[in-house]
Amino acid sequence: MPIEDVAGAVKELFAEGKVLHFGLSEASAKTIRRAHAIQPVSAVQTEYSLMNRDVEQNGVLKTCGELGIGFVPWGPVGQGYLTVKIDARTKFDPKDTRSEFPRFSSENITANMPIVDFLRQFSEKKDATPVQISLAWLLAQEPFIVPIPGTRSADHLHENLRAVDVQLTPADLREIDSALSKIEVHGGRMNEERMKLVDQTE
């Protein structure tokens, strides 16, 4: 269905007082602009983390900045990989979607360990956890970014919240970018079936 039709229907719901905000998930820069022209978009949700930086290259982050749209990264700690608690021995429940994702095969988990090793070392220097560094890095990218890390316990929640106290200097950000630019990320972020649902139009 054309995004203009979707945005138009939402606009009618706004007029009826049934909707307060309009958001998009995994939309391309082109789709965001087309939708925003009909009904202003409040937020866009797409995966974004130290392991997946596609939105920096495909225009999505830039478009959100230009149009004043909030950006909500899902999977901000690499769908759990950047918690440093996943290794090749990790067994995912068949109901866990990660069990189907190439990035979480035992081979790719092992191949991506240099990312974890760097993050662990860097976080120790900053007296923070890898999770906090991952979230602080996202918060340092743009003022309109609001990560949504998943959490299953109060301890995880408190750890996530303390990320706002981690101050990354320009030198820190350069160090992170330089180190990770030399490390290849192995495996796609989702399986082929789910990637078909992602809007990748130019």
Side-chain angles (χ1 to χ4, degrees):
M1 179 176 293
I3 192 63
E4 288 83 0
D5 291 352
V6 175
V10 172
K11 186 172 184 176
E12 293 177 3
L13 294 174
F14 266 89
E16 295 171 11
K18 296 179 179 177
V19 172
L20 294 177
H21 302 285
F22 178 32
L24 299 172
S25 181
E26 293 288 352
S28 68
K30 182 178 180 179
T31 295
I32 294 168
R33 290 184 183 280
R34 289 168 55 196
H36 193 75
I38 304 298
Q39 171 60 49
V41 176
S42 296
V44 170
Q45 172 184 265
T46 297
E47 185 179 6
Y48 184 33
S49 72
L50 287 168
M51 289 190 75
N52 186 75
R53 300 175 65 172
D54 293 349
V55 296
E56 297 175 358
Q57 308 299 324
N58 62 20
V60 167
L61 203 58
K62 180 180 178 182
T63 297
C64 287
E66 290 178 358
L67 300 179
I69 299 171
F71 186 78
V72 184
W74 69 265
V77 291
Q79 299 184 51
Y81 190 82
L82 300 178
T83 63
V84 195
K85 295 177 181 177
I86 292 175
D87 60 30
R89 297 166 296 179
T90 301
K91 300 297 182 184
F92 294 99
D93 187 297
K95 296 179 181 178
D96 188 325
T97 55
R98 292 175 297 179
S99 66
E100 304 173 354
F101 293 177
R103 189 164 295 167
F104 290 93
S105 70
S106 58
E107 296 81 7
N108 285 330
I109 287 175
T110 299
N112 287 322
M113 274 299 155
I115 299 171
V116 168
D117 293 338
F118 166 77
L119 190 56
R120 183 187 290 113
Q121 295 168 8
F122 185 88
S123 63
E124 289 175 356
K125 291 195 306 180
K126 299 295 289 186
D127 193 26
T129 68
V131 166
Q132 290 164 351
I133 294 298
S134 299
L135 296 175
W137 177 83
L138 280 170
L139 292 170
Q141 299 308 302
E142 298 289 354
F144 54 85
I145 287 179
V146 181
I148 48 170
T151 182
R152 296 182 180 178
S153 71
D155 287 342
H156 286 166
L157 177 61
H158 292 305
E159 179 184 13
N160 293 341
L161 291 173
R162 287 195 292 271
V164 300
D165 298 323
V166 178
Q167 299 299 314
L168 296 180
T169 67
D172 290 333
L173 295 173
R174 287 193 297 271
E175 180 181 350
I176 292 171
D177 284 350
S178 176
L180 294 184
S181 69
K182 301 169 186 173
I183 302 174
E184 179 183 357
V185 177
H186 297 266
R189 65 188 183 99
M190 293 188 285
N191 59 19
E192 184 177 351
E193 181 179 355
R194 286 179 180 268
M195 284 304 296
K196 289 179 181 178
L197 302 176
V198 174
D199 179 14
Q200 303 180 69
T201 59
E202 295 298 327

